[in-house]
Amino acid sequence: VSQSRYAQIYFPHHNVSAYYKTTAPLVLTSGVSLLGETSATTILSVRLTSGQYVVDYDCLAANVVEQISISRLTIRTNNSVASGLRLKNASYVTAKDVRFYNVTDGIVLEGTRCFSNNFEEINSYGATNSTVRFAANFSGGGHFNFLAVLLLETPAFLFLQRQ
């Protein structure tokens, strides 16, 4: 999904057993916000493979992607091999009331322009690697705020060294 600026995709919640099923990553290359009606609003990805992401903000640093909101969503897979959310070169992101189930990593931060991001009320259950991972190619800045983040995995944060 590519949009100029400040667009949003809204996911209404129908009932507890309903979900939005994807068979490929939801790739966003611009400042599109994702908003669920409640945190029980679920995006379920099936048949993803290792190295893929359920929600993938795959942005170029030159595009200056900023002011994204991701809120009131549950992001999960059916096989635990894909990660939940990648933020590559996305800044001033607010992720609030987001849950991750059955993923490798909950959130992966990557790129050269990824700073001033806020994470609030993030819960990760069943992540096989970490809740938050800074990728080996991350060199994108600082100012990360984590408020009321439930960190159940060991390690909860993973910082990878560049070789």
Side-chain angles (χ1 to χ4, degrees), residues 22 28 34 41 48 50 52 56 59 66 73 75 80 84 91 96 105 112-113 117 131 136 139:
T22 66
L28 302 126
L34 301 177
T41 305
L48 294 186
S50 180
Q52 290 185 305
D56 188 2
C59 307
E66 298 179 341
L73 287 171
I75 298 172
S80 298
S91 298
K96 182 176 181 179
D105 297 293
T112 59
R113 192 178 189 288
N117 294 329
T131 301
S139 62

Side-chain angles (χ1 to χ4, degrees), residues 38-81:
T38 73
S39 61
T41 305
T42 300
I43 300 172
L44 172 66
S45 284
V46 298
R47 296 191 298 266
L48 294 186
T49 59
S50 180
Q52 290 185 305
Y53 308 88
V54 177
V55 177
D56 188 2
Y57 282 91
D58 188 12
C59 307
L60 298 174
N63 290 349
V64 189
V65 176
E66 298 179 341
Q67 307 300 331
I68 297 168
S69 178
I70 304 158
S71 63
R72 298 183 308 270
L73 287 171
T74 295
I75 298 172
R76 66 184 307 165
T77 70
N78 71 328
N79 60 12
S80 298
V81 296

